[in-house]
């Protein structure tokens, strides 16, 4: 089969130039200068047949109406591109500020049927030796969309292609779809009868078409009883059914300090009643998330561990990240980040810094290795009697030791009962200057250790404990997290960089 013969035949079947190149298996850039590609492939086509860029200002009314391609239904025509770009620009496109875009085009099934019909037609015309049963003779429509439409749309909109960018969901329809699908349902019943009576009829889907509808699984003669070979001419092109936009998923990371002993981590609701008015999650989402999204309820807040309501988190603070789907923008300036940091600080309950957009892959820092991390605590503890030198000496421990910790009673309602080993890396203690019954204990422990129980021992449910080590009752009055062993996200000083945005 010579290229020229193939093209002449496709031409006679009403296949457009772009699709002709698909059947010559042209690759990316070869669709740009089609005349040159045809020449290189030794195919003669008359120059005026190859569509050129439309010059604006010409009277389009007088232009002869080009017939519609029987295999792509006009998907690759200039008219369709113009319509598509106009449709995207009329959507909420301008609301989004995303560098990268990706097109997701949902095509009517009749297009897939038409490719198969042409496959059969070529086999009949040129023989099965030239046109394989298993390997489609053309560059598949989906791939051609990526090769041809994607670059054009990106260029026209001034965007980059980015698989993680804003998704433009385009749904197309065609007037023949209903009839063709009805015929397909009959064809499917005849071609792939259910193996057993009880077997449910297989749903017709695009996936099924891709898998089953090939010359190796379906006979041309049977196909032709329902649908024509080659594909029939049509009077109207594909139409845009809908365009929906979905902004990219953006991740914003930072570190928070918790300054209040009356603030829960996430909204605290019991039996439908709010126990606490606000939470770290809500404060951060309110002040940061709103810049990126109109739907804050869809934002996910994650942090490297969490504190109890009455525990503060000081020092460098705790790493957190917001996962923001359908984001309107994918970046923020230092000024914007600084403004958000200040807005959160104003609450007086939480303070955030190092706020930045991070790549999604970096979320693993927060999600994994949690158990291995070290946590640094400072606990204010009280004894029943004044501290002795002996007690102080027992609470200077520089070598690590293991404890066995049963799930504390206070969390048994939401966590299963386990006994877990935990490592305590060091203990340092000093006396509070003005009260000899008060101790300040600095602890370094493995993440996941229940510190309150480590101190008082909870009736032996944690062993050993600070109480069992000194052989005396001891209670905890206040606890602060002073350090978290996670060097992420990177340090950025938004305040200092404000002018450099
Ligand atoms: Zn075409």
């Amino acid at each position: 089969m010579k290229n020229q013969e193939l093209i002449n035949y496709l031409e006679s079947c009403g296949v457009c130039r772009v699709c002709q190149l698909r059947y010559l298996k042209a690759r990316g850039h070869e669709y740009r200068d089609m005349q040159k590609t045809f020449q290189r492939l030794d195919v003669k086509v008359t120059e005026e047949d190859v569509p050129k860029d439309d010059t604006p200002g010409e009277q389009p009314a007088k232009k002869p109406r080009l017939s519609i391609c029987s295999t792509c239904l006009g998907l690759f025509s200039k008219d369709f591109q113009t319509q598509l770009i106009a449709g995207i620009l009329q959507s909420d496109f301008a609301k989004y500020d995303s560098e990268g875009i990706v097109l997701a085009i949902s095509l009517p099934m009749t297009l897939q049927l038409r490719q198969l019909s042409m496959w059969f037609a070529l086999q009949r015309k040129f023989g099965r030796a030239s046109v394989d049963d298993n390997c489609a003779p053309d560059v598949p429509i989906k791939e051609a969309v990526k090769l041809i439409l994607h670059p054009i749309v990106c260029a026209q909109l001034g965007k980059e292609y980015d698989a993680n960018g804003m998704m433009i969901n385009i749904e197309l329809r065609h007037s023949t779809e209903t009839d063709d699908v009805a015929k397909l349902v009959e064809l499917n019943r005849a071609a792939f009868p259910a193996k057993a009576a009880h077997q449910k009829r297989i749903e017709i889907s695009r996936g099924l078409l891709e898998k089953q509808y090939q010359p190796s699984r379906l006979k041309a003669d049977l196909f032709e009883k329902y649908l024509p070979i080659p594909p029939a001419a049509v009077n109207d092109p594909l139409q845009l059914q809908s365009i929906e936009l979905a902004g990219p998923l953006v991740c914003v990371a930072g570190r928070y300090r918790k300054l209040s002993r009356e603030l829960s981590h996430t909204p605290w609701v019991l039996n439908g009643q709010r126990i606490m008015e606000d939470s770290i999650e809500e404060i951060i989402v309110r002040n940061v998330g709103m810049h990126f999204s109109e739907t804050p309820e869809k934002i996910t807040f994650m942090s490297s561990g969490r504190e109890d309501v009455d525990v503060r988190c000081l020092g460098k603070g705790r790493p957190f990240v917001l996962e923001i789907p359908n984001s309107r923008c994918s970046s923020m300036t230092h000024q914007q980040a600084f403004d958000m940091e200040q807005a959160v600080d104003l609450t007086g309950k939480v303070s955030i810094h190092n706020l930045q957009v991070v790549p999604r892959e970096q979320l693993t820092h927060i999600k994994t290795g949690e158990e291995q991390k070290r946590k640094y605590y400072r606990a204010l503890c009280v004894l029943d009697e004044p501290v002795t030198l002996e007690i102080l000496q027992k609470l200077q421990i520089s070598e690590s030791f293991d404890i066995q910790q049963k799930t504390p009673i206070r969390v048994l309602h939401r966590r299963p009962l386990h006994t877990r080993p935990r490592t305590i890396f060091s203990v340092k203690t000093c006396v509070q200057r003005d009260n000899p019954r008060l101790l300040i204990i600095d602890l370094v422990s493995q993440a996941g250790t229940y510190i309150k129980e480590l101190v008082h021992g909870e009736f032996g449910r944690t062993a050993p404990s600070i109480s069992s080590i000194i052989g005396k009752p001891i209670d905890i009055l206040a606890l602060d997290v002073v350090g978290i062993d996670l060097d992420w996200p990177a340090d950025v000083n938004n305040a200092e960089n404000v002018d450099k945005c």
Side-chain angles (χ1 to χ4, degrees):
M1 167 180 66
K2 281 192 182 143
N3 285 346
Q4 186 71 56
E5 286 169 7
L6 172 65
I7 296 308
N8 290 348
Y9 178 66
L10 290 171
E11 181 104 40
S12 73
C13 297
V15 174
C16 75
R17 291 283 180 225
V18 176
C19 288
Q20 288 175 16
L21 282 182
R22 285 200 300 118
Y23 283 93
L24 291 170
K25 298 267 187 182
R27 305 310 304 170
H29 62 278
E30 294 178 318
Y31 292 96
R32 266 162 244 165
D33 191 343
M34 296 204 289
Q35 188 68 35
K36 211 165 117 192
T37 309
F38 279 119
Q39 258 170 24
R40 192 178 59 72
L41 294 168
D42 227 7
V43 175
K44 282 201 181 67
V45 287
T46 40
E47 188 138 357
E48 51 267 37
D49 281 351
V50 180
K52 285 183 180 166
D53 285 344
D54 288 358
T55 324
E58 277 180 17
Q59 299 125 313
K62 284 189 183 168
K63 210 168 61 180
R65 192 175 169 77
L66 292 168
S67 55
I68 295 143
C69 172
S70 59
T71 51
C72 74
L73 300 176
L75 181 63
F76 299 117
S77 70
K78 273 262 173 237
D79 279 357
F80 178 74
Q81 286 161 22
T82 313
Q83 207 190 119
L84 179 60
I85 300 287
I88 294 173
L89 291 175
Q90 275 165 26
S91 70
D92 279 344
F93 186 71
K95 266 196 185 176
Y96 291 83
D97 172 27
S98 175
E99 297 289 307
I101 58 166
V102 58
L103 301 185
I105 303 191
S106 153
L107 299 163
M109 283 199 258
T110 185
L111 267 180
Q112 263 170 294
L113 291 170
R114 282 167 179 276
Q115 312 315 301
L116 177 60
S117 168
M118 186 49 83
W119 191 345
F120 284 137
L122 291 173
Q123 281 193 326
R124 279 186 183 172
K125 173 82 182 165
F126 299 104
R128 291 170 93 153
S130 316
V131 182
D132 197 87
D133 258 359
N134 294 299
C135 177
D138 56 334
V139 172
I141 295 261
K142 262 195 197 165
E143 214 179 309
V145 164
K146 270 192 209 145
L147 294 174
I148 304 165
L149 269 183
H150 249 119
I152 291 172
V153 172
C154 284
Q156 296 251 354
L157 297 173
K159 301 282 180 187
E160 298 276 320
Y161 169 79
D162 177 2
N164 295 319
M166 171 169 79
M167 190 177 274
I168 305 179
N169 292 295
I170 300 154
E171 199 164 330
L172 302 179
R173 69 184 144 85
H174 192 258
S175 58
T176 61
E177 177 77 350
T178 315
D179 281 357
D180 283 0
V181 170
K183 286 174 195 157
L184 171 63
V185 170
E186 286 176 43
L187 165 64
N188 196 63
R189 220 173 280 150
F192 306 104
K195 289 191 183 89
H198 64 267
Q199 198 174 331
K200 262 173 67 182
R201 222 184 65 219
I202 299 157
E203 283 286 320
I204 305 280
S205 68
R206 291 177 176 85
L208 175 89
L209 279 184
E210 261 165 43
K211 222 172 85 197
Q212 298 278 37
Y213 283 72
Q214 297 176 12
S216 59
R217 293 173 186 234
L218 184 67
K219 292 245 172 340
D221 293 346
L222 182 62
F223 181 90
E224 205 175 18
K225 282 188 187 161
Y226 301 90
L227 292 150
I229 298 176
V234 291
N235 297 321
D236 52 335
L238 285 172
Q239 298 290 335
L240 281 175
Q241 169 89 14
S242 64
I243 295 183
E244 274 171 30
L245 307 176
L249 183 107
V250 171
C251 299
V252 180
R255 298 182 87 103
Y256 75 77
R257 298 187 188 105
K258 178 173 179 283
L259 309 172
S260 165
R261 294 198 190 277
E262 288 172 0
L263 186 65
S264 59
H265 190 77
T266 47
W268 187 5
V269 180
L270 200 64
N271 300 328
Q273 294 253 310
R274 276 207 78 131
I275 307 293
M276 277 197 177
E277 180 186 325
D278 218 342
S279 66
I280 298 175
E281 172 179 314
E282 287 161 291
I283 291 173
I284 296 179
V285 166
R286 198 160 61 225
N287 290 286
V288 178
M290 300 304 275
H291 170 73
F292 296 91
S293 168
E294 284 170 2
T295 46
E297 66 279 5
K298 302 221 166 109
I299 297 177
T300 310
F301 172 72
M302 285 175 281
S303 60
S304 175
R306 53 162 68 199
E307 316 73 27
D308 287 340
V309 170
D310 56 352
V311 174
R312 296 186 302 181
C313 179
L314 309 173
K316 273 191 82 181
R318 191 184 290 277
F320 71 88
V321 68
L322 296 180
E323 218 178 18
I324 308 167
N326 191 13
S327 180
R328 277 180 305 211
C329 54
S330 46
S331 60
M332 60 180 167
T333 61
H334 285 296
Q335 178 70 59
Q336 287 166 329
F338 181 59
D339 290 346
M340 294 175 207
E341 291 176 356
Q342 288 209 307
V344 171
D345 286 4
L346 274 180
T347 63
K349 297 174 180 170
V350 188
S351 156
I352 60 170
H353 62 135
N354 282 348
L355 201 62
Q356 59 197 284
V357 172
V358 296
R360 194 180 185 180
E361 302 78 57
Q362 288 193 10
L363 256 60
T364 48
H365 292 301
I366 270 202
K367 288 180 174 168
T368 58
E370 184 58 30
E371 297 275 292
Q372 277 71 49
K373 287 169 196 157
R374 289 180 183 211
K375 306 262 157 135
Y376 300 76
Y377 294 95
R378 171 162 286 189
L380 179 65
C381 303
V382 62
L383 292 163
D384 288 345
E385 55 202 73
V387 66
T388 61
L389 191 60
E390 194 195 347
I391 291 177
L392 265 186
Q393 279 167 348
K394 281 184 180 163
L395 293 183
Q396 312 295 337
I397 308 169
S398 53
E399 278 189 12
S400 63
F401 61 99
D402 286 346
I403 59 165
Q404 297 294 327
Q405 190 156 56
K406 280 204 176 102
T407 307
I409 294 162
R410 66 186 163 98
V411 297
L412 268 180
H413 64 283
R414 55 189 163 95
R415 300 260 162 86
L417 174 61
H418 283 308
T419 301
R420 296 185 303 171
R422 282 287 176 268
T423 302
I424 310 303
F425 298 100
S426 71
V427 179
K428 267 189 213 158
T429 307
C430 62
V431 190
Q432 172 89 325
R433 200 171 290 169
D434 44 9
N435 186 340
R437 284 176 52 225
L438 293 182
L439 292 177
I440 295 164
I441 306 181
D442 287 314
L443 292 154
V444 183
S445 75
Q446 185 185 354
T449 308
Y450 295 103
I451 301 298
K452 291 170 184 168
E453 286 69 22
L454 168 66
V455 170
H456 58 62
E458 200 184 31
F459 320 111
R461 292 168 64 85
T462 292
S465 64
I466 298 294
S467 173
S468 75
I469 289 169
I470 60 174
K472 291 184 191 302
I474 182 168
D475 207 358
I476 186 163
L477 295 177
L479 182 63
D480 290 335
V481 178
V482 290
I484 286 149
D485 182 21
L486 175 59
D487 242 351
W488 180 90
D491 281 338
V492 285
N493 191 330
N494 287 314
E496 263 178 24
N497 286 300
V498 155
D499 297 331
K500 300 181 205 158
C501 4

